[in-house]
């Protein structure tokens, strides 16, 4: 990507204030490239471009035509899969095999929402039966307008695809702000858009500083809906006050828990736990952070977990065979190491918690396991972004539920048991948005709810003008406190509805 690096209205432009920043390879701590940093003026231009595109054809375009553009975007990404995966590794730090899977999922996401855009045509103007036959009603599904998308750094291209694809499929337009830490593959979507001839202004992508570009987007009055993959710097909770009463969507965040009963295959469970805890260096929404295990199998399980973690290969994600790369930034590395240091007063450190001796450069940390933490400590109560999880033991189902539900609402919880009736009981009792049974962290495209988030339903009701409505015959008796006066007969009457 050469200068200029802001994608606004179908053109690459430089920021108005000429601010710049550098993307950095977290494995080598070296600059990758210099990028423009969008300010409030650039955000305003992007929102105006998105509004113009929305009003001038994109919203009115049949879903089948929008689907053609989505398929073309998928085709363009597919042609560049290898390059995009390598760029994701350099920008984010994750192992290449994970980046390859992310790119493939992003491509599939655009294809899937192309299909949903075509289906949207079939849903338009569906009749709704009314109790009064003199009226007819049809339902339309219309796009929500200009959408502001703030993307997280954990899965840069994939999370961008998962938000952009449903917006475009619905007929809305968008302004996208990727993370300051990982902007490169999101900007590649602008390159794809220009190559496939996506109408100008439908997709706008602004790199910039966290707390500056994203907050300018949040505060812009021309944005109809906001979707947060991450909260702008200094914002703790998205609110209608912050967003001016507009629609809000908060992307998945938080970590996950895991319950293991004593009838499980320990070796199989260890594979799922390691995958669930250390995917993307433990920086993924839904990464396992808390593990409760029935005490009879705890010694064997912990032995196998420590053995598995000790054998993991750490290093730059671009190297073959690497299982875990660096944390995404120096700031994340400092935060993680501080929490690990403080947590050693509240739990037993079984393994990890240090910089690998053979990796003096880069934001690397060893995968970390704590045993029997104080449940009041942050290492148990809060999801720490990084490769760490804690283990506690339980005897009964009730105790397992109490440990997991105590003081925390997990994004997800995994339950491992051969007894599916027991797993169902536990799943029903968990305070979690998603429950996985005998697996952890499977990821699927959210369909069709992603599309529905950017659609608004409209009822269009028609009356047969050839027939008088006969309002007066539908009025109730005089004297009601809900009545009104007919100027013709001066009687107080009550409306009873259709």
């Amino acid at each position: 990507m050469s200068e200029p690096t802001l994608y606004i209205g179908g053109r690459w432009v430089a920021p108005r204030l000429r601010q710049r920043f550098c993307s950095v390879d977290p494995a080598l701590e070296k600059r990758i490239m210099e990028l423009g940093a969008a300010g409030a003026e650039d955000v305003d231009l992007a929102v105006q471009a998105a509004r113009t595109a929305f009003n001038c054809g994109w919203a009115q375009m049949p879903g089948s035509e929008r689907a053609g553009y989505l398929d073309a975007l998928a085709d363009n990404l597919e042609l560049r899969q290898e390059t995009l995966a390598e760029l994701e590794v350099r920008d984010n730090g994750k192992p290449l095999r994970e980046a390859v899977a992310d790119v493939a999922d992003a491509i599939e996401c655009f294809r899937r929402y192309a299909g949903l855009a075509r289906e949207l045509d079939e849903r338009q103007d569906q009749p709704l039966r009314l109790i009064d036959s003199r009226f007819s009603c049809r339902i339309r599904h219309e796009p929500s307008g200009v959408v502001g998308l703030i993307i997280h750094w954990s899965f840069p291209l994939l999370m961008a695809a998962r938000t952009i694809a449903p917006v475009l499929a619905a007929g809305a337009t968008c302004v996208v702000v990727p993370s300051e830490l990982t902007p490169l593959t999101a900007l590649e979507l602008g390159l794809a858009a220009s190559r496939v001839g996506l109408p100008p202004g439908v997709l706008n992508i602004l790199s910039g500083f966290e707390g500056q570009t994203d907050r300018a987007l949040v505060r812009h009055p021309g944005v109809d809906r906001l979707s947060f993959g991450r909260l702008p710097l200094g914002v703790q909770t998205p609110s209608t006050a912050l967003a001016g009463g507009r629609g809000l969507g908060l992307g998945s965040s938080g970590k996950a828990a895991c319950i293991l009963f004593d009838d499980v295959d320990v070796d199989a469970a260890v594979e799922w736990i390691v995958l669930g805890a250390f995917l993307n260096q433990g920086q993924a929404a839904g990464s396992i952070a808390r593990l409760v295990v029935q005490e009879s199998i705890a010694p064997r399980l912990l032995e196998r977990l420590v053995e598995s973690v000790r054998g993991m290969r750490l290093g730059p994600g671009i190297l073959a065979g690497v299982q875990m790369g660096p944390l995404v930034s120096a700031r994340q590395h400092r935060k993680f190491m501080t929490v690990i240091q403080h947590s050693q007063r509240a739990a037993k450190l079984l393994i990890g918690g240090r910089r690998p001796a053979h990796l003096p450069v880069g934001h690397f940390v060893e995968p970390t396991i704590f045993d029997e933490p104080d449940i009041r400590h942050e290492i148990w109560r809060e999801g720490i972004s990084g490769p760490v999880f804690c283990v506690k033991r339980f005897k009964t189902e009730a105790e397992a539920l109490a440990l997991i539900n105590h003081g925390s609402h997990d994004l997800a919880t995994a339950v491992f048991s051969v007894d599916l009736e027991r797993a169902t009981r536990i799943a029903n009792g968990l305070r979690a948005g998603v429950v996985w049974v005998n697996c952890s962290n499977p990821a699927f495209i959210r369909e069709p709810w992603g599309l529905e988030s950017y659609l608004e339903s409209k009822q269009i009701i028609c009356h047969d003008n050839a027939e008088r409505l006969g309002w007066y015959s539908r009025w109730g008796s005089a004297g009601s406190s809900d009545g009104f006066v007919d100027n013709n007969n001066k009687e107080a009457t009550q409306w009873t509805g259709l």
Side-chain angles (χ1 to χ4, degrees), residues 37-346:
E41 288 185 62
D42 305 300
V43 170
D44 184 58
L45 289 172
V47 172
Q48 289 182 40
R51 178 64 62 192
T52 299
F54 180 80
N55 291 337
C56 297
W58 184 255
Q60 297 77 31
M61 184 182 293
S64 58
E65 290 187 33
R66 294 197 297 269
Y69 287 108
L70 290 167
D71 278 332
L73 287 170
D75 291 342
N76 183 269
L77 297 180
E78 194 166 41
L79 290 173
R80 301 185 289 135
Q81 272 186 284
E82 185 176 338
T83 299
L84 290 169
E86 291 176 357
L87 187 61
E88 194 84 312
V89 171
R90 294 179 65 200
D91 206 23
N92 172 272
K94 65 178 62 187
L96 181 59
R97 59 184 177 83
E98 294 183 20
V100 168
D102 289 354
V103 174
D105 285 347
I107 293 167
E108 175 58 25
C109 186
F110 280 107
R111 295 206 192 285
R112 179 56 190 149
Y113 278 102
L116 292 175
R118 293 185 179 95
E119 292 176 14
L120 185 58
D121 286 344
E122 300 173 8
R123 295 168 54 194
Q124 293 291 19
D125 296 313
Q126 288 292 313
L128 178 66
R129 184 178 178 184
L130 302 176
I131 60 173
D132 192 321
S133 61
R134 292 170 297 174
F135 294 86
S136 64
C137 179
R138 57 190 172 92
I139 304 297
R140 288 197 59 78
H141 305 279
E142 299 186 343
S144 54
V146 175
V147 182
L149 303 174
I150 299 176
I151 309 300
H152 200 268
W153 44 259
S154 55
F155 296 87
L157 180 63
L158 179 56
M159 295 186 78
R162 285 188 172 184
T163 48
I164 292 169
V167 169
L168 302 193
T173 58
C174 59
V175 178
V176 182
V177 178
S179 170
E180 175 185 349
L181 302 176
T182 55
L184 299 182
T185 50
L187 288 170
E188 289 290 327
L189 288 172
L191 184 61
S194 63
R195 288 179 174 175
V196 304
L198 189 71
V202 170
L203 172 63
N204 305 273
I205 305 175
L206 305 177
S207 56
F209 296 116
E210 185 177 351
Q212 178 175 307
T213 309
D214 46 13
R215 287 179 70 87
L217 182 62
V218 166
R219 291 171 172 170
H220 198 289
V223 175
D224 299 302
R225 182 169 181 80
L226 292 162
S227 178
F228 295 87
R230 57 183 170 83
L231 296 181
L233 191 65
V235 176
Q236 297 302 315
T237 305
S239 64
T240 55
L242 170 69
R246 292 164 289 173
L248 287 164
L250 182 63
S252 297
S253 60
K255 299 193 84 173
C258 182
I259 301 174
L260 281 95
F261 288 93
D262 58 8
D263 59 351
V264 300
D265 180 325
V266 169
D267 289 335
V270 165
E271 289 185 21
W272 280 112
I273 294 166
V274 170
L275 171 67
F278 302 132
L279 178 71
N280 202 32
Q281 294 72 251
Q283 299 173 122
S287 296
I288 291 175
R290 303 190 298 158
L291 175 65
V292 297
V293 55
Q294 204 152 18
E295 62 180 13
S296 60
I297 63 167
R300 184 158 60 98
L301 182 79
L302 286 173
E303 180 182 354
R304 287 287 295 110
L305 281 171
V306 169
E307 179 184 341
S308 180
V309 167
R310 185 175 288 122
M312 291 184 69
R313 182 179 178 187
L314 279 62
I318 204 68
L319 299 179
V322 165
Q323 296 168 284
M324 201 175 86
L327 299 187
V328 72
S329 69
R331 183 175 65 191
Q332 290 297 123
H333 188 271
R334 287 193 300 270
K335 287 171 62 176
F336 181 84
M337 297 306 292
T338 298
V339 171
I340 296 304
Q341 183 179 3
H342 292 166
S343 299
Q344 293 185 49
R345 296 194 290 265

